[in-house]
Amino acid sequence: CLMCAEFPERPEPLPHLPENPGQLQQYPPSTTVDGKRLMNLWLRRERLWNVTLSVERHLDKKYDFLLWVPDSSLWIDKAARPSEILKDDFAKTTVWLRDCTTVGENNDHVVAFGRDAAPTMLTLYSSFLQGGLLEETVSCEEYLISAAMSRALWMNLSRFELFPEIDSMYYGDTHNLSTCIFGTYWCEGYTRESMGLKEEFCEAVERRMKSSENIGGNLMRGHGGRPF
């Protein structure tokens, strides 16, 4: 198993970002904080992709399958074996999106893709700098799907059981941290009891903390997780 980690000591300034009218209309990167955070996220993924390419050259082998998740993920079970996913036809050029908690029809929270789809999925930063896409997009999810379709990649929906991950957050003080899970990204048809989860929903924790006279703690999102 190979691992590459990057821990910047200070915020890294982005270069001048083009306006790209019609792209990422919900949070234009050239004028909004959320848009700039998205560009930072895409930039770091692209850097890791470049490291991946150098590792492949060094080993004289290629990866078959790649996956991105935010570091706010709480895994409640093991992910599926890559062989279970790669048995599909056209697996190398397929992008797998979660079939629940979708924004529109797309969900970029957990995204898996075959090796031949990786150059498109992991260079969205450069794609935007070079002028974006022909289609108009409102959100990062729409941009992702448009980029995939522009390269004739196959799109597939993955069951929750393949990637049993839930968005989560720490809360409490630094000496007594607990974990809660987000109902916003919850998959319908599942219950906390059926999954054996004891963690509360973050929305309920936040309401309780706001209504309490003695708040005594804060909700803290995992650093580097979803930017919005």
Side-chain angles (χ1 to χ4, degrees), residues 59 68 145:
L59 298 178
W68 79 48
I145 201 78

Side-chain angles (χ1 to χ4, degrees), residues 55-72:
V55 170
E56 286 185 336
R57 290 191 293 269
H58 177 73
L59 298 178
D60 195 24
K61 293 183 179 180
K62 285 191 174 183
Y63 291 96
D64 295 318
F65 173 78
L66 297 96
L67 171 76
W68 79 48
V69 295
D71 63 3
S72 56

